[in-house]
Amino acid sequence: MSAADDTRRAELAENLARVRARIDAARSAAGRTDDVTLVAVTKTYPAGDVALLADLGVTDIGENKDQEAAPKAAEVGRRVRWHFVGQLQRNKARSVSAYADVVHSVDSVRLAAALDRGAQGHERVLDVLVQVSLDGDPERGGALPDSADPDRGLAGVAGAVAGADALRLAGLMAVAPLGAEPDAAFARLAEIAAAFHVDHPTATVLSAGMSDDLENAIRHGATHVRIGSALLGKRHYLG
Ligand SMILES: *Cc1c(COP(=O)(O)O)cnc(C)c1O
């Protein structure tokens, strides 16, 4: 292994220890004894970083763009669980269903149907989280709670996933709205989740919380946190 690899490994190990300590402190503060799964969001970072994180004991990796995730998943393989966390276009559903183990961002009946067809084509069964909109802004994605919209209403999307042959309804996902107080946003998410569990008691995954707000999310019941920059460093986008 090169000196550069050693330096990067040490940096990731230090960041990982810090993030795990934050998660443990937040669990204790919330009086929780159940597990919180760390999903390391590796977007914009190379497959080599995914391999280093796996060596350090990270079991779950998140990506948000198919064109970046597909080659990384091919390179790293099945030593980690692959989570697709980004907005997903229906024309990418077939590609994503080839490598994703969990899709966090299903927010329409039509997308659920496309993912089900893709998973069946690959003879796979995918865990699916229905993404919930906490601000009602359709541009930012998410199914709409308290809406009877046939394609985007939360109850309809959850029912479509639950009824799909190659999808397993595993729970809910949300992103705190830009500029909103995360604690209030995740308190609302917890209320939505409680109502959702009446109809879907086994769909217990709650994916919420990122680098800046994981403590708020864990306080309100997150079972999975999606952490990018606090683990890998600040992302630099080209262009
Ligand atoms: C990038 C991303 C994250 C991680 O964000 P950080 O602030 O870097 O921790 C989490 N969830 C989704 C959906 C993302 O796109």
Side-chain angles (χ1 to χ4, degrees), residues 23-35:
I23 291 172
D24 285 344
R27 282 173 60 239
S28 301
R32 290 179 51 181
T33 52
D34 57 329
D35 284 336

Side-chain angles (χ1 to χ4, degrees), residues 39-43 45 62-65 84-87 104-105 131 173-175 207-214 225-235 237:
V39 180
V41 180
T42 50
K43 64 192 184 196
Y45 287 96
E63 287 283 337
N64 75 333
K65 288 201 171 66
F84 192 87
V85 303
Q87 270 192 26
H104 289 226
S105 44
Q131 183 176 350
M173 176 273 216
V175 180
S207 166
M210 319 200 304
S211 292
D212 290 339
D213 58 17
L214 72 88
V225 292
R226 308 179 307 270
I227 308 300
S229 51
L231 271 181
L232 291 127
K234 230 169 128 69
R235 289 178 292 274
Y237 290 101

